[in-house]
Amino acid sequence: MGHTDKQAILPPGAAKPLAPYSPGVRWGELLFTSGQIGLDPETGKLVPGGVIPETRQALHNLSAVLEAGGSSLAQVLKVTIFMTDIGDYAAVNQVYGEFFGENPPARSAIQVVALPAGAAVEIEAVAYLKA
């Protein structure tokens, strides 16, 4: 793949996107993911239980996009987290730490008014491809 070739990534078994976008896009040695929310891939609905299970599922969904695109959570360079309530920051960090332990990526966390499907959290990333 040349540096100007763009490849859309859709993980097998993933929940169908809620709008016209690709869950991930490979370009050169980078993989950009769309924001992932806590959709259960089997039902296409948000997992129940609030921000903690939603964050965990969003990170599993993110991992699936990364793997389908030839990368992994370990290769993530930058993460952006969108939350509808910045008061959930500590709960999101608790789960986030389970997925990104040592040497975590750069990150931003932003409070927003609303997210698709009524989600409490959405997570996107930029990663490099596995060597």
Side-chain angles (χ1 to χ4, degrees), residues 1-120:
M1 174 173 15
H3 282 299
T4 58
D5 295 332
K6 180 175 89 169
Q7 178 187 4
I9 304 299
L10 178 60
K16 185 178 185 293
L18 299 176
Y21 64 85
S22 297
V25 173
R26 279 178 62 161
W27 187 81
E29 296 180 7
L30 295 175
L31 175 61
F32 300 84
T33 73
S34 294
Q36 300 297 308
I37 60 175
L39 288 181
D40 179 329
E42 292 183 17
T43 66
K45 306 234 184 261
L46 279 178
V47 295
V51 71
I52 289 177
E54 281 187 43
T55 301
R56 187 169 284 114
Q57 186 63 53
L59 286 163
H60 282 300
N61 295 344
L62 180 67
S63 180
V65 174
L66 293 166
E67 292 290 335
S71 192
S72 71
L73 290 172
Q75 309 297 102
V76 171
L77 302 170
K78 173 72 167 73
V79 171
T80 304
I81 301 175
F82 304 94
M83 294 172 273
T84 56
D85 182 353
I86 201 71
D88 290 333
Y89 189 75
V92 169
N93 278 335
Q94 175 188 339
V95 177
Y96 184 88
E98 297 171 13
F99 289 79
F100 295 104
E102 291 185 33
N103 198 19
R107 187 182 89 176
S108 300
I110 303 161
Q111 179 173 311
V112 296
V113 172
L115 290 168

